[in-house]
Amino acid sequence: MRFSLSLSHVGGEKELPFSYQYLLTSAIYDVLAKADGEYATFLHEKGYPINNKTFKLFTFSDLQVSFKPQRDRMRLIGTEATLQVSFHLPIAAENFIKGLFQDQELTLFDRRSRAVFRVIQVESVVSPFVGKDPAVISEKAFTLLSPVVASKKDEAGKHHYLSPLDAEFIPILLGNWKSKYAAIYGAERAEAAFGEASASVIFTEGAPKSRLVKIKANSAAETSVRGWNNFKLKLRGCNEALGLVCNSGIGNYNSLGMGCLSYGKP
């Protein structure tokens, strides 16, 4: 399920770091914890484990807000902003999750600034795969609402972030997508469901562009990940698997706002 949040800046400084994703993740967890501490703890600490990996199965889009660049900060213009947030949950939970965000505040802060946004409106965004036969194979081209991360770890344990031009980019995305499915439905069912699954990159506006995002910036625990955008992804698979990737995101670091796909038109 997905929600479009209309936000208004109501307090603190009118600025954000360019790497605001970790701050926004924390703010979303805080909203969930206030209303349902058990679910927030499950997302933050447990998730859906498989093969030494854990998937949170939620993601969010880039924050849509007007700003002027100011060194490593975004100086906000005006007060309005929008955000899409997605969760892979039963449709029966939609009204409950929707109510959690209504009239809540998202506080994004680091060592240099603190910005407070109030949720003015929450609208449900209908997935194009809701109500469709879960076993039927479909194909759809998706635009990106946030950069896609394809991470590969070498023998020394170092992560390499691959470009869409890299031959291993698509296999990594497919493997990650299949692992998410297996974490929910089991490995045997995943093998059957992904027999006809495929993915490809569509370049429509020139070369892909990369974005480096810092996590826990300016702290001893600071790390960075690199994602890519300025392209589309064509995905083929059963409707159940496509619905999952719509809700949870494609690639790595989805709970940090990476790999959020546009629902587009049904």
Side-chain angles (χ1 to χ4, degrees):
M1 68 184 65
R2 177 169 298 187
F3 305 99
S4 177
L5 309 183
S6 298
L7 310 175
S8 179
H9 181 275
V10 295
E13 290 78 16
K14 294 186 69 174
E15 69 173 68
L16 292 170
F18 277 110
S19 292
Y20 60 79
Q21 287 78 6
Y22 178 75
L23 309 183
L24 189 46
T25 296
S26 298
I28 292 171
Y29 281 141
D30 286 345
V31 168
L32 295 176
K34 288 178 183 178
D36 191 333
E38 185 175 345
Y39 178 55
T41 299
F42 171 77
L43 275 183
H44 186 55
E45 298 180 5
K46 296 181 181 180
Y48 300 82
I50 186 171
N51 298 333
N52 298 317
K53 296 179 182 179
T54 300
F55 298 107
K56 305 299 177 67
L57 302 187
F58 96 93
T59 192
F60 53 87
S61 69
D62 284 346
L63 185 65
Q64 297 300 306
V65 61
S66 297
F67 68 92
K68 280 187 177 181
Q70 198 172 70
R71 296 182 183 178
D72 63 340
R73 316 290 285 185
M74 301 162 58
R75 185 67 183 173
L76 306 185
I77 301 172
T79 60
E80 296 181 353
T82 58
L83 177 72
Q84 291 195 21
V85 184
S86 292
F87 303 87
H88 191 67
L89 288 171
I91 195 67
E94 181 174 321
N95 287 335
F96 171 70
I97 299 296
K98 184 176 182 180
L100 297 186
F101 284 96
Q102 189 66 54
D103 298 321
Q104 294 297 313
E105 291 185 349
L106 299 174
T107 302
L108 283 65
F109 65 94
D110 61 7
R111 295 183 179 183
R112 292 171 55 186
S113 66
R114 175 179 177 272
V116 182
F117 295 89
R118 182 179 296 279
V119 180
I120 303 301
Q121 185 176 25
V122 183
E123 294 181 284
S124 297
V125 184
V126 180
S127 167
F129 303 103
V130 167
K132 292 190 175 181
D133 186 330
V136 169
I137 302 298
S138 297
E139 186 175 75
K140 183 174 176 60
F142 296 90
T143 56
L144 308 181
L145 299 181
S146 63
V148 174
V149 177
S151 175
K152 177 185 178 182
K153 187 184 291 186
D154 63 21
E155 294 180 356
K158 181 180 178 180
H159 286 274
H160 299 271
Y161 299 105
L162 306 184
S163 157
L165 299 173
D166 193 292
E168 293 185 83
F169 184 81
I170 289 298
I172 286 176
L173 294 190
L174 283 173
N176 178 276
W177 181 15
K178 183 178 178 180
S179 292
K180 289 170 182 162
Y181 188 93
I184 303 174
Y185 303 111
E188 184 175 342
R189 188 166 160 183
E191 287 296 327
F194 277 76
E196 296 185 51
S198 65
S200 60
V201 176
I202 303 172
F203 298 112
T204 59
E205 299 179 8
K209 298 178 181 179
S210 74
R211 186 194 304 174
L212 188 69
V213 174
K214 295 181 180 180
I215 303 169
K216 298 183 180 180
N218 302 313
S219 73
E222 178 180 316
T223 58
S224 297
V225 300
R226 185 175 294 279
W228 297 80
N229 54 20
N230 202 46
F231 61 94
K232 293 183 178 181
L233 278 173
K234 180 182 285 187
L235 302 180
R236 175 181 170 83
C238 67
N239 288 327
E240 188 171 55
L242 288 168
L244 167 64
V245 79
C246 275
N247 292 336
S248 63
I250 189 82
N252 306 106
Y253 299 99
N254 303 136
S255 62
L256 287 168
M258 297 295 172
C260 187
L261 301 176
S262 171
Y263 276 3
K265 296 180 180 180

